[in-house]
Amino acid sequence: MTDRAPLSTAEAAARLADKGWVVFDAVIPPDQLARIRGAVVASVEDCGRRQVASGACERPDGTAHHTVGQYPALDAFLAHGWMSEHIARYFDGAPYILHAFNPAIVAPQGKSYLHNVHRDVRTHAGDFRLLINMLVMVDAFTLENGATHVLSGSHRLDSKPQDDVFRSLSERLVGPAGSIVLFDSNLWHAAGSNMSNAPRCALTLSFSRAFVKQQMDYPRFLGDAYGRDLSPDMRQLLGYEAMTPASYEEFYRPRETRLYKADQG
């Protein structure tokens, strides 16, 4: 456990702007975590098979990608809108959408691209905020099981810091199960090494302004019929209000039926 005091929205925003990250302890109830953890394990197994079968890699690396619409516990997590007020404030109230939804497991002594020092956006836009990341601690994050390294303030750096500098100055994202971290997508970070005897499960998500391309085109991935049954909030989140036309028939439409709505930025 930690001794961090609860943060107001303004305090969280200030910390996010200053350090590039902020932790909210034990947000998700334990009963929901158990279902989420089961979905993380299942999705990683499924995507591992796809990775190997496609030739993308020789063996599964503990990551899954774009698991929307496949696991009820993960869809329920999205629909809840955890941290939505903080994400909206980060984007100054502008519309935003889901950019990626990728469960991950760091196995004992496991190694993947997550352990490399990296940031989750290729273009550094300075003070203009394009993306924000969310890390969900499905299991407790400890120093022993590989709590994520973050270099505070590095969201202001255009270039990658040297690995030895990063390792010597980085802090660790530790917290109880159910905690949620928000961090600027420009922040340089890396998964820690899991030296425990148990795998560590997490959800990694990113949210972007509505005009930024998603890692997966969720509206076309999930289909029109799926979108028709969604709430307005979920249609917005999954990008159904910011679709790119793919034909003249989709482009030339009355304003009310256009795929890319006028309020999407």
Side-chain angles (χ1 to χ4, degrees), residues 23-252:
V23 182
F24 304 86
D25 285 328
V27 176
I28 304 173
D31 62 325
Q32 293 185 35
L33 278 179
R35 293 191 292 270
I36 290 171
R37 194 181 198 283
V40 169
V41 172
S43 66
V44 167
E45 290 177 352
D46 178 58
C47 282
R49 290 189 291 268
R50 295 174 188 272
Q51 290 164 358
V52 174
S54 69
C57 54
E58 294 182 358
R59 61 183 63 84
D61 63 6
T63 63
H65 301 87
H66 312 303
T67 51
V68 179
Q70 302 170 65
Y71 302 92
L74 301 187
D75 290 347
F77 172 87
L78 274 182
H80 188 281
W82 296 102
M83 303 291 117
S84 58
E85 63 179 301
H86 299 284
I87 297 171
R89 180 163 182 152
Y90 178 84
F91 289 122
D92 297 319
Y96 65 87
I97 59 176
L98 180 69
H99 181 71
F101 189 3
N102 303 332
I105 297 176
V106 175
Q109 289 76 52
K111 194 74 174 176
S112 76
Y113 66 87
L114 299 175
H115 291 85
N116 300 327
V117 179
H118 66 284
R119 66 183 182 201
D120 291 322
V121 60
R122 300 292 178 91
T123 301
H124 189 275
D127 292 334
F128 185 70
R129 293 168 167 178
L130 287 174
L131 289 96
I132 188 171
N133 279 51
M134 176 187 287
L135 172 64
V136 182
M137 300 180 187
V138 178
D139 293 323
F141 273 40
T142 68
L143 298 181
E144 183 185 18
N145 72 8
T148 302
H149 295 260
V150 292
L151 183 58
S152 293
S154 64
H155 57 303
R156 304 186 187 93
L157 300 178
D158 189 16
S159 301
K160 178 184 174 183
Q162 294 293 323
D163 280 11
D164 57 345
V165 173
F166 176 88
R167 299 294 176 184
S168 66
L169 297 178
S170 66
E171 299 175 72
R172 306 294 293 277
L173 298 181
V174 297
S179 299
I180 294 180
V181 185
L182 294 179
F183 62 94
D184 190 305
S185 294
N186 287 308
L187 188 75
W188 293 96
H189 61 285
S193 297
N194 187 351
M195 306 307 293
S196 75
N197 296 319
R200 174 175 62 71
C201 293
L203 296 176
T204 63
L205 301 85
S206 55
F207 304 89
S208 70
R209 292 181 185 268
F211 57 79
V212 176
K213 286 184 179 180
Q214 297 165 299
Q215 278 191 7
M216 176 71 81
D217 188 342
Y218 290 120
R220 299 195 191 280
F221 176 64
L222 297 168
D224 290 340
Y226 185 90
R228 285 194 294 270
D229 292 333
L230 294 173
S231 68
D233 286 347
M234 283 296 287
R235 280 187 60 84
Q236 172 63 43
L237 185 63
L238 293 182
Y240 279 91
E241 309 301 351
M243 295 176 63
T244 302
S247 67
Y248 282 128
E249 290 74 20
E250 290 185 346
F251 185 81
Y252 290 120

